[in-house]
Amino acid sequence: MNRKYRRPLIAGNWKMNKTPSETREFVTGFKAMLPKLRRCDIALCVPAVCIPAAVKGARDSRIAIGAQTCSAFASGAYTGEISAAMLKDAGCKYVILGHSERRAMGETDKNIHAKLLTALDSGLTPILCCGESPEQRELGVTEPWITMQLRAALAGIPPEKLRTVVVAYEPIWAIGTGQTATPDQAESVCAHIRAVLRKQYGAKTARAVVILYGGSMNGNNAAQLLAQPDIDGGLIGGASLDPQKLLCIVEAASCEAE
Ligand code: PEP
């Protein structure tokens, strides 16, 4: 990570895990474990029903709360959906958009673009996910695929808004598999992401964007991944469900930031 231009972020993605009561217990315990020095930003992206418990538990701490998706629409007859404005009002700072698990459930680049616009309009910080399948990596089309995903999601977003977007590179073959990308593999794609942003927005804007790596990051591999110049933090699935494991990653990011 380049500490001169960006602040590290460690964001947990709980997926469909933990109840509101478990959330309360987790946040209370995790808060007490955190190092005093605030060398990296921390977020927990929790299931929607856990947001009130997480926000309440994280009050007066450095833990920010996020959601895992939002509606593409501002309001209206969309049964079961939750708008970005509702998430913001409930106390969220972040929202994950375009996670591969949601793309696999039918979310398209067009949906993701619409969600990004409404998230930005509502003052949320989107964590925009992109990443290739194992087949795409095998075929050698990782970079053009990521370029396409980024261009589709970010179409028409002005530079001042782009600075508030976090991009997460999450190779699908590394998510929940224990098969982490090597630091070189992850850095190569994160550097490509920054190059795509630089081409479209210029060097000053591109160097301000926080780029995360996600895919089986844990306390053993975090330090090496976070030592790469274009990896500014992590989006953490499995390891974020255990406060001790998440703390190890926060500590790795905090050391890197020294
Ligand atoms: C994720 O789901 O965003 C993720 C990175 O999961 P895991 O850390 O479990 O691979």
Side-chain angles (χ1 to χ4, degrees):
M1 65 186 82
N2 185 329
R3 293 145 226 147
K4 191 165 163 205
Y5 300 115
R6 305 177 289 275
R7 208 175 138 73
L9 168 65
I10 299 299
N13 172 16
W14 281 4
K15 313 188 186 202
M16 198 173 72
N17 291 294
K18 297 197 189 291
T19 61
S21 318
E22 289 165 342
T23 301
R24 236 182 317 277
E25 195 184 324
F26 181 109
V27 177
T28 311
F30 185 56
K31 199 161 85 168
M33 291 173 165
L34 286 176
K36 291 269 174 298
L37 288 177
R38 298 174 175 230
R39 291 204 169 108
C40 79
D41 292 334
I42 302 172
L44 292 175
C45 298
V46 304
V49 292
C50 299
I51 290 169
V55 168
K56 192 169 172 212
R59 202 167 285 153
D60 302 322
S61 83
R62 56 193 289 207
I63 307 167
I65 303 305
Q68 299 172 11
T69 185
C70 69
S71 172
F73 304 99
S75 64
Y78 303 102
T79 302
E81 290 287 271
I82 299 176
S83 74
M86 292 170 186
L87 295 174
K88 177 74 180 169
D89 191 63
C92 285
K93 174 169 181 188
Y94 295 95
V95 61
I96 298 173
L97 296 178
H99 192 281
S100 58
E101 288 159 11
R102 295 207 57 87
R103 291 181 192 254
M105 287 182 251
E107 201 163 273
T108 63
D109 285 313
K110 201 168 161 221
N111 299 144
I112 295 160
H113 174 61
K115 290 178 181 206
L116 193 102
L117 292 179
T118 174
L120 288 171
D121 274 354
S122 304
L124 291 173
T125 298
I127 301 179
L128 171 65
C129 300
C130 57
E132 82 286 5
S133 66
E135 295 78 16
Q136 287 166 326
R137 175 153 284 262
E138 185 74 17
L139 283 169
V141 297
T142 299
E143 290 193 359
W145 177 253
I146 302 277
T147 305
M148 187 281 293
Q149 286 186 319
L150 287 176
R151 293 222 169 110
L154 298 172
I157 304 293
E160 66 277 11
K161 293 265 184 185
L162 181 82
R163 285 164 170 272
T164 69
V165 175
V166 172
V167 178
Y169 167 54
E170 296 212 307
I172 296 170
W173 47 272
I175 297 178
T177 59
Q179 194 196 333
T180 319
T182 64
D184 282 352
Q185 283 173 325
E187 168 59 20
S188 153
V189 181
C190 290
H192 171 73
I193 290 171
R194 203 174 305 283
V196 171
L197 300 178
R198 193 181 304 120
K199 195 164 172 200
Q200 200 169 334
Y201 291 96
K204 210 167 157 199
T205 301
R207 76 183 179 209
V209 175
V210 171
I211 301 178
L212 311 181
Y213 164 77
S216 300
M217 194 188 263
N218 59 43
N220 296 327
N221 56 35
Q224 271 194 306
L225 287 159
L226 296 171
Q228 304 304 310
D230 288 291
I231 302 179
D232 306 313
L235 183 54
I236 324 293
S240 73
L241 295 170
D242 178 323
Q244 196 59 56
K245 289 184 182 167
L246 186 58
L247 179 68
C248 287
I249 301 174
V250 168
E251 282 171 345
S254 307
C255 290
E256 255 309 307
E258 268 169 11

